[in-house]
Amino acid sequence: MEFNRRNFLRQSLATAAGITATTMLPNNLWGMDLHQSNYPEEIILKPGKRAKPKESIRFSVIGLNHGHIYGMVAALIGGGGELVSVYSREPELLPNFTRVYPNVKVAKSESEILDNNSIQLVASAGIPVERAPLGIRVMKSGKDYMSDKPGIVTFDQFKEVKKVQKETKRIYSIMYSERLGNPASVKAGELVQAGAIGKVVQTVGLGPHRMRPNSRPDWFFDPEKAGGILCDIGSHQCDQFLFYTNSKQAEVSLSQEGNFNIPDYPKYMDFGDMNVRSPHAIGYIRIDWFTPDGLSTWGDGRTFILGTEGYIEMRKYADIAGREGGNHLFLVNQKETKYYDCSKVHMPYGEQLVSDVVNRTETAMTQAHCFLATELALTAQKNAYRLNV
C-alpha cells in the first residue's frame, strides 16, 4: 500500500509540474490558439470627390409594376440622365411616381415615347413577362433599353431578344441590382480585381426575401408571368457568380425548387437553389422567401467569395452581429483581417450606362455577360427538380 501511495504522489507531482511548464509555453506551439480571434481592423470608406458626369442622355420610363424602378431611375439620373416622360398602363401606379419626380411628363401612350426620337433610352419595371417584348419594341424604335430583373422569362423570349439586339446593335441592359445597386458589392469587385484574395474559385450567394402575400399583386404568384424563383431572384446570383469569377462561359449542374409554406399558391415556389460552374470556378446559389419578421429588413442577403489567398463576405442589407445598417464587407487574406463600412462607396452603373449609350461602348456590362446570366437562370428554372412538400 505504501509503495503504491508513493508512486501515486510521485506521478501527481510530475503531472502538476508538467501542467505548470506547459502553461509557460506559447499557445501556438500546441495549436491552442486555433479558435482565438481578433477584432478586424475597421475601415469606414468615405466618399471621394466626383466630377459631374461627362455624358448625358434623355430617357423615359414605361412600366411601374415593381418598386425597383425608383432605384433604376435614380441610377440613371445620378449618371447624367434626364428623365423626360413616363407611361403606365395602370394609372393607379402613377401618383407615387409623379410625387417623387414631379417634373416628369405623363405620356398618354407607349407609342408617344417610342416615337419620340429625342429619347435615347427606355427603362422598365413592368410585369416580368412583358419586359422582353417591350425591350424588343424599344430596340426596334432605335433606342436602348434598361430592364429590371428578370429581363427575360422564357427561352422563346431569350431567342428573340438576342436576335433583335444583334440586328439593331442597341443595348439591352438588365439591372441586377444586388450587385450593381449595392455599395458592398461594388467594393468587393474592386478588391477581387486588385488581387486581394488571389484567384477566385467559388462564390456562395444567399438571397433570402420576406414574404407578405397581401402586399403582392396576383401576377407575382404566377410563374408564367413572373418567371419563377430561380429565373427571378436567382438571376441576381448568376450575375454575381459570373462577375466575381470572371467567367465568360458557364453552365448549371443542378437546380431544384419547392413550395414549403404558401399552400394558397400551389404553383408558386418559395425556395430554390442551384449549382453553377465555369471552366475555372464553381458556385452555389440559394434563394428563398423565408425572412422572418424579427429581422429589421427584407432579407439578410450575403455573398461569400472564396479565393486561393483569402475570402470576402458581404452582409449587404443587415448584420445580425450588431452593426447598424447594411453594406458590410469582411476581408480575410494572408496579411490581414479587415472590416469595411461600404455605405459611401460610389456605384458607377448609371454613369457607365449613360456613357455606353452615348459612346456605344460596354463599360457598365457587356451584352454577352447580361445574356449569359439570364441564360443560366432560365436553364436552372426550366430544369429544376420540383420537391413534393
Side-chain angles (χ1 to χ4, degrees):
M1 290 289 292
E2 183 65 23
F3 174 80
N4 291 338
R5 181 173 178 271
R6 281 199 298 269
N7 282 345
F8 172 76
L9 290 173
R10 221 174 4 245
Q11 291 171 1
S12 298
L13 290 171
T15 302
I19 292 174
T20 301
T22 300
T23 60
M24 298 173 65
L25 295 174
N27 283 341
N28 58 11
L29 182 64
W30 307 101
M32 294 175 66
D33 64 342
L34 291 177
H35 300 290
Q36 296 179 358
S37 61
N38 297 319
Y39 287 104
E41 176 187 356
E42 294 198 359
I43 300 173
I44 299 177
L45 298 171
K46 297 180 179 180
K49 293 183 179 179
R50 303 198 61 82
K52 183 180 178 180
K54 295 180 180 180
E55 313 289 357
S56 63
I57 62 169
R58 288 165 55 85
F59 74 97
S60 293
V61 170
I62 299 176
L64 302 173
N65 298 87
H66 199 292
H68 285 163
I69 192 63
Y70 295 94
M72 296 164 65
V73 170
L76 287 168
I77 292 175
E82 176 190 351
L83 176 60
V84 177
S85 54
V86 59
Y87 173 71
S88 174
R89 198 170 55 193
E90 301 85 4
E92 66 273 15
L93 300 178
L94 281 168
N96 191 60
F97 190 83
T98 55
R99 190 179 304 114
V100 177
Y101 300 105
N103 296 324
V104 68
K105 178 185 177 182
V106 177
K108 296 178 181 179
S109 66
E110 176 186 300
S111 60
E112 182 180 328
I113 292 174
L114 297 186
D115 294 341
N116 185 340
N117 292 330
S118 75
I119 294 171
Q120 297 159 274
L121 178 141
V122 172
S124 179
I127 296 173
V129 72
E130 299 173 358
R131 293 171 188 170
L134 171 61
I136 290 169
R137 297 193 295 273
V138 169
M139 290 188 292
K140 286 184 175 180
S141 75
K143 298 171 175 52
D144 296 311
Y145 184 58
M146 175 191 187
S147 174
D148 186 17
K149 63 80 219 165
I152 302 168
V153 300
T154 70
F155 272 108
D156 287 340
Q157 288 185 349
F158 185 62
K159 181 179 179 181
E160 186 65 16
V161 165
K162 290 184 69 177
K163 175 177 175 291
V164 174
Q165 191 280 323
K166 185 176 181 180
E167 291 172 350
T168 62
K169 302 293 192 295
R170 307 316 302 180
I171 297 170
Y172 194 103
S173 184
I174 300 174
M175 187 174 181
Y176 302 110
S177 57
E178 289 192 20
R179 176 174 66 86
L180 299 170
N182 182 267
S185 297
V186 172
K187 183 61 180 179
E190 295 174 358
L191 291 169
V192 166
Q193 291 169 15
I197 58 172
K199 178 182 177 182
V200 176
V201 298
Q202 191 212 27
T203 64
V204 175
L206 307 179
H209 286 61
R210 175 172 286 137
M211 172 54 67
R212 287 178 175 165
N214 294 337
S215 68
R216 300 285 177 174
D218 290 340
W219 59 259
F220 175 82
F221 297 99
D222 185 347
E224 293 185 0
K225 294 181 179 180
I229 189 169
L230 295 170
C231 170
D232 180 13
I233 52 179
S235 64
H236 282 303
Q237 308 299 335
C238 293
D239 160 70
Q240 291 175 90
F241 166 75
L242 294 175
F243 179 75
Y244 292 124
T245 63
N246 193 28
S247 294
K248 312 301 181 186
Q249 304 172 36
E251 62 182 1
V252 177
S253 54
L254 178 148
S255 60
Q256 54 196 355
E257 61 179 4
N259 181 330
F260 287 85
N261 200 40
I262 313 182
D264 292 341
Y265 300 94
K267 292 183 179 180
Y268 184 78
M269 302 292 114
D270 56 14
F271 176 90
D273 69 353
M274 66 176 101
N275 291 323
V276 292
R277 63 190 174 208
S278 72
H280 60 269
I282 56 177
Y284 173 73
I285 293 165
R286 192 205 78 202
I287 44 189
D288 65 75
W289 288 93
F290 296 137
T291 294
D293 286 341
L295 190 70
S296 60
T297 188
W298 56 266
D300 186 7
R302 298 193 188 190
T303 302
F304 301 83
I305 309 172
L306 176 65
T308 54
E309 302 297 324
Y311 62 88
I312 288 170
E313 178 188 350
M314 287 174 271
R315 302 181 186 180
K316 297 184 179 183
Y317 312 110
D319 177 21
I320 61 172
R323 292 178 177 85
E324 294 183 0
N327 305 310
H328 308 285
L329 184 150
F330 300 86
L331 166 70
V332 182
N333 60 21
Q334 305 288 11
K335 298 180 180 179
E336 58 197 1
T337 297
K338 287 186 176 182
Y339 160 74
Y340 293 85
D341 179 341
C342 301
S343 300
K344 303 298 183 181
V345 170
H346 173 67
M347 295 175 290
Y349 170 69
E351 186 173 350
Q352 289 171 339
L353 183 58
V354 167
S355 178
D356 289 341
V357 170
V358 174
N359 299 305
R360 311 318 298 168
T361 50
E362 292 188 324
T363 61
M365 177 190 304
T366 68
Q367 196 64 72
H369 174 102
C370 177
F371 285 153
L372 182 54
T374 289
E375 185 176 8
L376 290 174
L378 288 172
T379 301
Q381 188 67 61
K382 180 180 179 181
N383 297 337
Y385 174 81
R386 181 164 296 180
L387 300 165
N388 294 316
V389 294

